[in-house]
Amino acid sequence: MTQNAKQAGATASSRVFEVLRQDLLSGRFGAGERLSISSLKETYQVGLSPLREALNRLAAYGLLRQENQRGFRVLELTRSELDDIAEMRRQMEGMAIERAIAHGDEEWESQLLAANHRLTRAGASTPLREWEQLHTRFHNALVAPCGSVWLLRFISQLHDQFDRYRRVAPSAPELRQRLDAQHGELVALALARDAKGARALIEEHITLSSQVAQRSC
């Protein structure tokens, strides 16, 4: 295989990995569903080799289960797993926001304000995928200067696992309004350098969000 062919295969694999990741998070495939390789090849217009590489990466990442000689299956949604994910999020994001407040500078404050502004301006007419991206960027900005690449990596993976539940759960308008308000409150606490208050609020925010996600189980 030539170098150009290898690079093209890697690019195709990365592309289908990201598109499939988003589709898995959005609930395009049912919980427990076995994936058809032939259907995936047609749907995503990709060859077998880059597709299998992407599927293996998604299995290693925790969004698929690889079955011996039987392909890949979407993970089930269980209350016990969701509770575990939510608890890990509370611990890790609580730690991360305290460290971010200790180390964040004026540039971080500006980026956090901008991320919150963009999220707040996203109204009901905003496409769901765009809102999800803005929401993720806000939470990433909140803990960005925590000083640990591994902590950020674990938080990102936990967010994806949590979103498998949250995105397919029935809407909860009575909780959504409170969750949206908490974004601005988190910014205010961060700017005030109130690490203790911010940690308590992010833990409450995750708990409240998990109450929405529980409806998917």
Side-chain angles (χ1 to χ4, degrees), residues 16 19-31 33 35 39-40 42-45 74 129 163-164 167-168:
V16 75
V19 176
L20 251 175
R21 184 180 74 86
Q22 290 295 336
D23 285 346
L24 287 165
L25 296 181
S26 66
R28 175 171 181 169
F29 303 98
E33 179 181 345
L35 299 182
S39 295
L40 293 176
E42 182 177 350
T43 299
Y44 297 102
Q45 293 295 294
V74 180
R129 179 161 291 194
D163 280 354
R164 288 197 306 120
R167 294 191 190 186
V168 299

Side-chain angles (χ1 to χ4, degrees), residues 62-89:
L63 290 179
L64 291 175
R65 181 171 69 250
Q66 187 170 12
E67 300 179 326
N68 291 336
Q69 309 300 320
R70 298 175 64 183
F72 297 84
R73 191 177 294 275
V74 180
L75 298 182
E76 292 79 6
L77 300 176
T78 68
R79 175 64 184 274
S80 60
E81 182 189 50
L82 175 60
D83 290 345
D84 189 20
I85 293 168
E87 178 57 25
M88 289 300 98
R89 278 194 63 192

Side-chain angles (χ1 to χ4, degrees), residues 132-153:
E132 291 288 358
Q133 291 174 344
L134 293 172
H135 183 244
T136 297
R137 288 170 188 165
F138 170 79
H139 277 276
N140 288 344
L142 192 62
V143 297
C146 73
S148 170
V149 172
W150 277 104
L151 183 54
L152 293 175
R153 188 174 298 169

Side-chain angles (χ1 to χ4, degrees), residues 160-179:
D160 276 358
Q161 292 294 339
F162 190 87
D163 280 354
R164 288 197 306 120
Y165 292 81
R166 181 181 61 81
R167 294 191 190 186
V168 299
S171 61
E174 71 282 7
L175 296 179
R176 183 74 264 163
Q177 186 175 5
R178 177 60 184 140
L179 285 166

